[in-house]
Amino acid sequence: MTESKKVKKGAEKITEEKALVSRGVILNSIQGMQKNLGEKSKEKKSILDSDFKYSLQITLFKIPRGAGRLNKMLLTHSLIDDTDEVCLVVKDLERGAKKDFEPTNNHFEEVLRVAGVTRINRILSVNELKKNYGPFEAKLKLCQSFEVFLVDSRVYNRTVPLLGKHFLKRKKLPIALKMDCEDLNEAIAKALKYTIYRQSNSGNVLSIDVGKHRMTAEDITDNVCEVINHLKSDTLGGWNNIRSIYVKPAKDDPLSVPIYLSDATGEDLPIPEQISQKDKVVAKKRKQVNEILENVGFSKKGHFSSN
């Protein structure tokens, strides 16, 4: 097969996939669901609140091999609004159990003020996290107090183990934030566009939050399309590993609307290999080292020399 024919065949496949889950079908589904749930909320206020999340329920043919974990995905429109509380965990100016964390909090409050950031409701240093939120009940209260947790990327690996299982259970995995970036406001706005979803190694169903009832149908549709484009990559085994996609409210409501149903069996599909972020970093560094070693050699006296 020539290169031009390969490109043409690939283009036809992409077109077919887009036709299977067209934007028009998604938009109509969201509009119909919003109307239906809006009418229900007026009739039975005790069952449905005025605002709640919509999620994509994705069923896979084959469960990816690897450890179950929480993943994050960048959406077009944030699910976090002005009423949601945001907590930022920052690096201590001075490390040590006996060090006062107030100077650290004051310092980063000034950093946010100078940068014009108004979206952060609470600053929490790592030292304060250790001192005041060690007990089980304290961690639970902290988890329930904020909708989103951002963490200075320099202390991300130290912070995650301190938070505990409450954050994992409630899909409140902290989002890493580069505090030394050029535009902190923009970096925070981007961080708040991530949605967190749980990937299990024992079940073939994923639930990914994609919208809120108060959002416009267009914005929710944009987010759904973003998730679908992500699924077309090698993530979770690629598009061929998708059995079905439903849109449903993240509430105890039976309503769900299918936007994609595969007529395949999935029997011939290989089991996807899910590579962890740590393994990806190690593989990247190994590749860099090998590339460097390919360009150097040893002289007769045992010194490095360029090839």
Side-chain angles (χ1 to χ4, degrees):
M1 184 183 292
T2 63
E3 190 66 29
S4 60
K5 288 183 178 180
K6 288 182 180 179
V7 173
K8 183 178 180 181
K9 186 176 180 180
E12 290 174 351
K13 185 177 181 181
I14 293 174
T15 302
E16 181 183 359
E17 289 176 351
K18 287 183 177 179
L20 289 172
V21 193
S22 69
R23 180 182 175 84
V25 169
I26 298 171
L27 181 59
N28 290 336
S29 299
I30 299 298
Q31 288 174 334
M33 181 168 287
Q34 284 184 319
K35 181 179 179 180
N36 184 286
L37 292 173
E39 293 173 352
K40 282 187 178 182
S41 63
K42 292 178 181 178
E43 297 173 1
K44 302 179 180 179
K45 293 183 179 180
S46 60
I47 297 179
L48 289 171
D49 300 325
S50 59
D51 197 17
F52 44 87
K53 290 180 179 179
Y54 290 166
S55 63
L56 282 189
Q57 184 171 288
I58 302 163
T59 305
L60 309 176
F61 283 112
K62 299 291 180 68
I63 303 172
R65 184 183 288 114
R69 61 182 184 274
L70 294 183
N71 291 332
K72 65 180 183 179
M73 189 182 299
L74 186 64
L75 300 177
T76 306
H77 305 284
S78 176
L79 306 185
I80 308 303
D81 54 41
D82 294 338
T83 61
D84 292 321
E85 299 283 310
V86 181
C87 178
L88 172 63
V89 180
V90 296
K91 177 182 178 181
D92 291 287
L93 298 179
E94 291 184 279
R95 293 185 63 177
K98 296 183 179 180
K99 298 294 183 181
D100 185 9
F101 49 77
E102 286 299 329
T104 296
N105 293 351
N106 294 336
H107 168 77
F108 282 102
E109 283 179 3
E110 180 63 15
V111 169
L112 296 180
R113 188 191 67 78
V114 172
V117 176
T118 58
R119 198 62 196 82
I120 303 299
N121 303 99
R122 170 75 186 279
I123 292 177
L124 188 66
S125 72
V126 175
N127 199 14
E128 183 180 0
L129 182 62
K130 290 179 180 179
K131 285 184 178 181
N132 297 345
Y133 298 96
F136 182 89
E137 295 79 8
K139 288 181 181 179
L140 176 59
K141 185 176 180 180
L142 177 65
C143 181
Q144 295 173 335
S145 299
F146 299 93
E147 184 68 23
V148 182
F149 290 84
L150 305 180
V151 178
D152 188 332
S153 58
R154 295 170 293 184
V155 293
Y156 185 83
N157 292 333
R158 289 171 50 206
T159 302
V160 173
L162 296 174
L163 296 176
K165 64 181 182 181
H166 297 303
F167 292 79
L168 297 177
K169 183 178 180 180
R170 290 164 176 78
K171 296 195 297 185
K172 290 190 178 180
L173 183 74
I175 306 298
L177 176 68
K178 289 186 177 182
M179 294 293 295
D180 55 352
C181 62
E182 292 184 2
D183 191 335
L184 191 54
N185 240 333
E186 183 179 345
I188 291 174
K190 180 179 179 180
L192 295 179
K193 288 183 179 180
Y194 281 101
T195 184
I196 306 295
Y197 68 95
R198 185 182 301 279
Q199 180 193 323
S200 173
N201 59 356
S202 59
N204 65 334
V205 179
L206 303 173
S207 180
I208 304 178
D209 293 335
V210 292
K212 281 189 171 183
H213 185 62
R214 292 180 181 177
M215 291 173 63
T216 66
E218 289 282 353
D219 286 352
I220 299 175
T221 300
D222 288 341
N223 285 348
V224 173
C225 291
E226 188 68 39
V227 173
I228 289 175
N229 286 332
H230 187 75
L231 294 174
K232 289 179 183 179
S233 67
D234 292 334
T235 303
L236 304 175
W239 187 255
N240 290 333
N241 196 35
I242 306 299
R243 181 194 296 270
S244 64
I245 303 177
Y246 284 77
V247 181
K248 67 184 304 295
K251 303 282 290 182
D252 294 331
D253 189 280
L255 178 64
S256 63
V257 179
I259 60 174
Y260 173 75
L261 297 172
S262 174
D263 57 2
T265 63
E267 295 179 356
D268 299 330
L269 291 176
I271 297 177
E273 292 284 350
Q274 190 70 2
I275 303 175
S276 67
Q277 187 61 33
K278 180 180 179 180
D279 291 338
K280 290 180 182 179
V281 172
V282 171
K284 182 178 179 180
K285 290 186 179 295
R286 184 181 292 117
K287 181 180 178 182
Q288 292 173 343
V289 170
N290 290 336
E291 289 176 350
I292 293 174
L293 293 177
E294 286 177 358
N295 296 322
V296 299
F298 289 98
S299 66
K300 292 182 179 180
K301 294 183 179 181
H303 298 123
F304 278 115
S305 61
S306 226
N307 289 336

